[in-house]
C-alpha cells in the first residue's frame, strides 16, 4: 500500500509500505513474523534508520539485525536501554544483532511523552553517509 506520507504526491506513487494484518486471531495466539528490508542504491544511497523497540501487542522475542560490508563503520545509539549488540562476521559482512525478550506492549494513553521518548529506540547509520559523522546530529534531524 502507499505510505501515508506519500499521499497527494504523484512523484512518490511508486513507493510501497508493508502492512501485516491478522484477521480472526484467537486470544493468546502467537504470531511469528520474519522479514527483511532491502533498498535500492538509487533510492537510498546510504544506510540509516530508527527502530522503536515495541509494538501495540507484547513481543516474546524481537531481533534487530543489521548487516554492513566489512570495513564500514556502523554508528548506532540505543536510547532508554543499555543493551549492546552482539557483533560477528558472516560472509564478508559485519553483523550487529540486538535481541530483546518479553517486550511489553506500548501504552496508548493520552498525554504520554511526545514521540514515545520513554521507550527504547535504536538509531543507526553508516559512518559519513547520512548526516555526517555525529550520531547526535543524526538523531536531532529525525
Amino acid at each position: 500500500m502507499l505510505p501515508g506520507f506519500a499521499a497527494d504526491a504523484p512523484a512518490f506513487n511508486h513507493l510501497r509500505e508493508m502492512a501485516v494484518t491478522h484477521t480472526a486471531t484467537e486470544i493468546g495466539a502467537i504470531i511469528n513474523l520474519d522479514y527483511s528490508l532491502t533498498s535500492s542504491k538509487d533510492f537510498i544511497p546510504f544506510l540509516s534508520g530508527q527502530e522503536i523497540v515495541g509494538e501495540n501487542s507484547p513481543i516474546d522475542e524481537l531481533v534487530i539485525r543489521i548487516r554492513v560490508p566489512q570495513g564500514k563503520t556502523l554508528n548506532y545509539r540505543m536510547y532508554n536501554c543499555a543493551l549492546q549488540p552482539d557483533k560477528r562476521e558472516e560472509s564478508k559482512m559485519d553483523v550487529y544483532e540486538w535481541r530483546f525478550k518479553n517486550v511489553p506492549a506500548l501504552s496508548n494513553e493520552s498525554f504520554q511523552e511526545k514521540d514515545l521518548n520513554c521507550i527504547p529506540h535504536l538509531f543507526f547509520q553508516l559512518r559519513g553517509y547520512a548526516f555526517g559523522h555525529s550520531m547526535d546530529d543524526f538523531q536531532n534531524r529525525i
Side-chain angles (χ1 to χ4, degrees):
M1 75 180 170
L2 186 67
F5 67 83
D8 300 321
F12 299 105
N13 281 345
H14 64 285
L15 297 179
R16 293 294 173 258
E17 181 175 64
M18 181 174 69
V20 178
T21 59
H22 298 280
T23 58
T25 304
E26 295 185 22
I27 294 174
I30 295 175
I31 299 166
N32 186 8
L33 179 61
D34 185 3
Y35 61 93
S36 297
L37 299 176
T38 56
S39 297
S40 164
K41 247 197 299 191
D42 298 331
F43 178 65
I44 301 176
F46 55 84
L47 173 69
S48 69
Q50 172 191 15
E51 291 295 326
I52 297 173
V53 179
E55 292 292 335
N56 291 331
S57 298
I59 302 170
D60 290 339
E61 181 180 45
L62 172 65
V63 178
I64 299 173
R65 187 176 302 123
I66 302 172
R67 292 181 175 94
V68 299
Q70 284 180 338
K72 299 287 185 183
T73 301
L74 180 71
N75 289 330
Y76 59 87
R77 184 169 296 163
M78 178 70 75
Y79 290 92
N80 302 317
C81 181
L83 182 66
Q84 293 296 312
D86 291 327
K87 185 179 175 190
R88 65 181 184 277
E89 286 184 19
E90 192 176 278
S91 302
K92 297 185 180 181
M93 302 289 274
D94 288 332
V95 180
Y96 297 79
E97 184 175 282
W98 289 262
R99 189 174 295 269
F100 301 87
K101 300 273 188 183
N102 301 317
V103 179
L106 298 178
S107 171
N108 286 324
E109 296 180 20
S110 301
F111 306 112
Q112 65 188 9
E113 283 194 55
K114 181 179 182 271
D115 299 327
L116 301 172
N117 287 329
C118 57
I119 62 170
H121 284 70
L122 172 64
F123 291 90
F124 59 91
Q125 73 174 35
L126 276 180
R127 181 182 177 133
Y129 281 82
F131 302 113
H133 298 279
S134 166
M135 280 304 294
D136 291 326
D137 183 44
F138 174 63
Q139 192 270 337
N140 289 332
R141 290 177 186 238
I142 292 181

